[in-house]
């Protein structure tokens, strides 16, 4: 019997290849997981559950752990003591070290040259490969979708399921294709694309869907930009967002530590390039966005969909939720963004802590000074990023401008390691969430691209980065 | 996770937080996630809405109600958005909640809630409006019948993913169900070149 020739979407192709047992009316599908990434915060209770049931990690070869959320980004003292925010944070780190050792799981710990933010190091080492299913107890796992993976965040119970069986019980989500037409204007980045998508879909517009990003703007983005776009899928409610692999994907991954090498790589790459939505594939929903109209974005409220082009200023509240958000932010509808005095600038995170992000920030910092009264923190996404950035001299550019250069970690994005924004302070942040108090109790967050964050650090207020760029007409 | 108390029918007063988009950072701020257990998180549920920086109470409803009398949380649209932290349902359940109701509930939070016996109920706007109109009312949640009964007698039939519903009714979890499928999982690994 010939296989069905019904055109399939990228999502369906990867999903179908991982179904161990199909779903029925009363039971979900058993979905095989190729790569399970683990960090210290959402794993301890899952390891305890395994232990309580007398189980071990079933596939330690498909399980990789790192330390990123609770770890200090300040250097250890002369005796090697690390400045943990609390004893409990240190215990949590040691708990993962012990759980990894007991189960034979590779941990990229303090001694590893690849330690870093989980969604930065997965792709960087080539652990993330096109066509994989990737999960992690972290909602920004969608990042790995930039490589044509079905990648999504799971809770701690599900972390336990994957540790024990390498599978998850899952219902197939609906699919949505977001096509971004046209061509980005100079000075507009992947982050601005993502914030535009979220503002278009709304905070829950993607709930229940797996997203596929497509179109000329996505094709023209570099891999870092694509990771930023996929990373923020969850901020529109979608657990997973993906992009078809292309030659850029293949070139980016070639030679990385965990991918096949030599001829085997070319054979793998040939398969990866087949992973795209067929002509005529159908989606439960399709939307199109004019990429040529996207401008540098900044959020003005307390959810990631409350964002607008910087040049348009703060919108007038359209409902009670927006009024509440503006009140929390101390912003007034109709005002220019330039009146928003900035206290803190944070550049880093799984959203924007990669080399391309740091280079974009450094271009603006170079030869300039952080405005008086602004604290700027630059936190590389991984040890590899830190070393590369230092080789290129980016760290010098940051510190000469007056910014702090830290060790890799999630840092001020989730603010659980001692790096936080003080009550009432306004932060321009390249991270992913501007929720009330996300960066510390009472903190106010404006989400933006690395270029915009750097420009805001220099200007001392929320600023359009294009004024600091030598833009070439494309 | 295993052999948890079966969930079926219960009646309780509601407590209403009408704000939309209550994210999991509000339900439990990240700085409390350094714990390595699930226990005792109820005292930091909605921490920054409940307490001032000096630890004193804010004027907030979760500080004034008796949690044993109010086991159903009714919240604005898109409850539980944001982070995947399962600490959010752990904290709500440790506080005393057994069900959450909203017009929309975020995917990962919903999945996490179901795995812990916190019943996530998505209602339509008219039902939500009736709940808000009488924010002290007693409701009945019947998971067997998927029925939410309001004080005025209105019955709303809600949907829960069938497998998760059966797990809750029987007090079993998906881990055991997946483990029973290890032979199929091994066969898949063999036939797809994924064996260890």
């Amino acid at each position: 019997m010939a296989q069905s020739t019904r055109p399939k979407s990228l999502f369906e192709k990867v999903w179908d290849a991982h179904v161990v047992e199909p779903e029925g009316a009363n039971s979900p599908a058993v979905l095989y997981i190729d790569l399970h990434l683990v960090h210290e915060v959402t794993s301890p209770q899952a390891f305890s559950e395994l232990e309580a049931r007398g189980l071990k990690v079933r596939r330690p070869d498909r399980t990789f752990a790192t330390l990123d959320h609770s770890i200090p980004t300040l250097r250890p003292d002369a005796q090697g003591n690390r400045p943990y925010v609390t004893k409990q944070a240190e215990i949590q780190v040691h708990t993962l070290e012990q759980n990894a050792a007991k189960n034979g799981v590779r941990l990229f710990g303090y001694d590893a040259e690849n330690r870093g933010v989980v969604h930065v190091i997965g792709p960087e080492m080539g652990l993330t490969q096109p066509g994989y299913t990737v999960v992690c107890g972290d909602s920004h796992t969608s990042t790995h979708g930039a490589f044509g993976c079905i990648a999504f965040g799971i809770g701690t119970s599900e972390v336990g399921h994957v540790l024990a069986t390498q599978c998850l019980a899952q219902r197939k989500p609906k699919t949505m294709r977001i096509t971004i037409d046209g061509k980005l204007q100079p000075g507009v980045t992947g982050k601005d694309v993502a914030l535009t998508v979220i503002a278009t879909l709304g905070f829950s517009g993607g709930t229940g869907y797996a997203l596929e990003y497509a179109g000329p703007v996505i094709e023209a983005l570099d891999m870092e930009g694509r990771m930023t776009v996929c990373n923020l899928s969850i901020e529109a409610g979608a657990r997973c967002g993906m992009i078809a692999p292309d030659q850029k994907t293949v070139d980016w991954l070639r030679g990385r530590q965990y991918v096949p090498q030599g001829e085997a790589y070319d054979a793998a790459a040939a398969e990866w390039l087949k992973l795209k939505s067929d002509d005529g594939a159908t989606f439960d929903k399709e939307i199109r966005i004019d990429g040529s109209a996207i401008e540098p974005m900044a959020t003005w409220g307390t959810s990631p969909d409350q964002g607008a082009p910087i040049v348009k200023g703060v919108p007038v509240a359209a409902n009670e939720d927006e009024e509440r958000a503006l009140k929390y932010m101390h912003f007034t509808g109709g005002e220019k963004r330039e009146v928003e005095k900035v206290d803190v600038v944070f550049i880093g995170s799984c959203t924007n802590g990669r080399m391309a992000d740091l280079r974009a920030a450094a271009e603006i910092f170079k030869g300039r000074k952080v405005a008086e009264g602004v604290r700027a923190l630059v936190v590389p996404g991984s040890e590899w990023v830190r070393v590369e950035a230092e080789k290129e001299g980016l760290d010098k550019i940051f510190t000469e401008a007056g910014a702090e250069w830290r060790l890799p970690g999630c840092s001020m994005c989730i603010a659980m390691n001692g790096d936080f924004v003080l009550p009432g302070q306004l932060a321009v942040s390249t991270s992913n969430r501007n929720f009330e108090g996300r960066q510390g109790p009472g903190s106010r967050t404006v989400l933006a691209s690395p270029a915009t964050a750097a420009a805001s650090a220099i200007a001392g207020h929320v600023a359009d980065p294009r004024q600091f760029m030598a833009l070439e007409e494309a | 996770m295993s052999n948890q108390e079966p969930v079926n029918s219960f009646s309780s007063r509601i407590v209403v937080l009408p704000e939309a988009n209550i994210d999991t950072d509000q339900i439990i701020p990240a700085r409390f996630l350094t714990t390595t257990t699930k226990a005792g998180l109820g005292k930091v549920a909605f921490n920054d809405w409940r307490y001032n920086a000096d630890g004193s109470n804010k004027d907030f409803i979760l500080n004034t109600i008796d949690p044993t009398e109010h086991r159903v949380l009714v919240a604005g649209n898109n409850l539980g958005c944001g982070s995947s932290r399962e600490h959010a349902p752990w904290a709500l359940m440790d506080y005393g909640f057994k069900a959450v109701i909203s017009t929309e509930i975020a995917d990962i939070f919903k999945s996490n809630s179901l795995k812990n016996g916190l019943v996530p109920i998505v209602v339509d706007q008219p039902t939500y409006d009736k709940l808000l109109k009488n924010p002290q009312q007693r409701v009945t949640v019947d998971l067997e019948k998927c029925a939410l009964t309001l004080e005025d007698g209105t019955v709303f039939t809600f949907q829960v993913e069938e497998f998760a519903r059966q797990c809750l009714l029987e007090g079993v979890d998906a881990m055991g169900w997946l483990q029973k499928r290890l032979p199929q999982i091994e066969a898949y690994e063999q036939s797809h070149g994924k064996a260890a």
Side-chain angles (χ1 to χ4, degrees), chain A residues 44-65:
Chain A
Q45 298 86 352
F47 280 109
S48 302
E49 187 64 31
L50 252 67
E51 202 158 298
R53 295 180 189 223
L55 300 171
K56 285 264 187 193
V57 174
R58 182 167 173 271
R59 291 297 299 268
D61 59 322
R62 292 185 175 274
T63 312
F64 295 88

Side-chain angles (χ1 to χ4, degrees), chain A residues 1-289:
Chain A
M1 191 71 189
Q3 280 206 320
S4 161
T5 53
R6 185 180 68 80
K8 278 186 178 182
S9 67
L10 167 62
F11 177 85
E12 288 175 293
K13 288 181 185 181
V14 179
W15 177 275
D16 289 352
H18 291 84
V19 172
V20 173
E21 191 175 292
E23 66 185 300
N26 297 328
S27 60
V30 177
L31 188 72
Y32 194 78
I33 302 304
D34 293 315
L35 175 65
H36 186 193
L37 300 168
V38 172
H39 64 77
E40 72 274 27
V41 174
T42 55
S43 66
Q45 298 86 352
F47 280 109
S48 302
E49 187 64 31
L50 252 67
E51 202 158 298
R53 295 180 189 223
L55 300 171
K56 285 264 187 193
V57 174
R58 182 167 173 271
R59 291 297 299 268
D61 59 322
R62 292 185 175 274
T63 312
F64 295 88
T66 189
L67 305 171
D68 55 5
H69 283 65
S70 299
I71 50 106
T73 55
L74 289 165
R75 284 171 173 70
D77 66 16
Q79 284 74 46
N81 297 310
R82 293 184 185 268
Y84 285 99
V85 62
T86 57
K87 184 73 189 161
Q88 188 57 47
E90 182 171 10
I91 290 170
Q92 190 174 57
V93 165
H94 294 326
T95 302
L96 180 54
E97 288 171 342
Q98 288 158 10
N99 283 328
K102 262 192 271 184
N103 284 276
V105 169
R106 177 82 167 93
L107 168 69
F108 300 104
Y110 287 120
D111 55 343
E113 61 179 16
N114 293 104
R115 188 189 66 78
V117 177
V118 64
H119 310 308
V120 176
I121 66 169
E124 201 170 83
M125 288 191 278
L127 288 167
T128 306
Q129 294 177 26
Y132 270 15
T133 45
V134 182
V135 296
C136 174
D138 192 289
S139 62
H140 293 106
T141 308
S142 54
T143 312
H144 309 262
F147 294 83
C149 299
I150 292 180
F152 56 96
I154 56 178
T156 297
S157 294
E158 290 182 319
V159 169
H161 299 170
V162 182
L163 290 176
T165 68
Q166 205 57 34
C167 285
L168 278 175
Q170 286 290 302
R171 290 280 179 190
K172 192 173 177 175
K174 293 178 284 185
T175 56
M176 185 191 312
R177 180 162 59 188
I178 299 171
T179 305
I180 306 177
D181 297 308
K183 190 176 174 201
L184 292 183
Q185 299 172 44
V188 177
T189 68
K191 183 64 165 283
D192 304 305
V193 173
L195 290 174
T196 302
V197 168
I198 300 163
T200 306
L201 278 181
F203 199 14
S204 65
T207 301
Y209 290 94
L211 308 182
E212 179 180 344
Y213 301 97
V217 164
I218 297 296
E219 286 161 25
L221 283 176
D222 59 19
M223 289 312 296
E224 284 84 352
R226 293 179 189 182
M227 282 189 256
T228 302
V229 169
C230 289
N231 171 278
L232 289 164
S233 301
I234 185 67
E235 309 313 334
R239 285 178 84 166
C240 134
M242 61 202 305
I243 293 171
D246 61 7
Q247 196 55 44
K248 273 186 196 169
T249 321
V250 170
D251 294 343
W252 197 93
L253 283 172
R254 187 184 297 276
R256 292 184 188 264
Q257 192 178 346
Y258 282 90
V259 298
Q261 305 294 325
E263 281 177 20
Y265 187 78
D266 295 322
E271 289 305 308
W272 295 344
L273 291 172
K274 293 178 191 165
L275 291 171
K276 54 185 174 192
S277 290
D278 295 328
D279 290 339
T282 54
F283 296 81
D284 295 295
K285 190 169 180 181
E286 289 229 45
I287 67 167
R288 300 194 89 96
I289 291 173

Side-chain angles (χ1 to χ4, degrees), chain B residues 4 109-118 120 160-161 164 168:
Chain B
Q4 54 205 6
F109 175 73
K110 191 193 285 175
S111 164
N112 286 339
S113 297
L114 285 167
K115 287 180 178 65
N116 290 278
L118 180 68
V160 180
E161 196 277 311
L168 289 182

Side-chain angles (χ1 to χ4, degrees), chain B residues 66-100:
Chain B
D66 175 357
T68 63
E69 289 287 318
H70 297 258
R71 294 189 171 277
V72 178
L73 173 65
V74 177
N77 190 54
N78 198 25
L79 172 65
C81 51
S83 145
S84 63
R85 62 192 68 164
E86 201 160 316
H87 309 67
W90 294 338
L92 293 178
M93 293 190 76
D94 191 55
Y95 177 89
F97 291 119
K98 295 174 78 171
V100 291

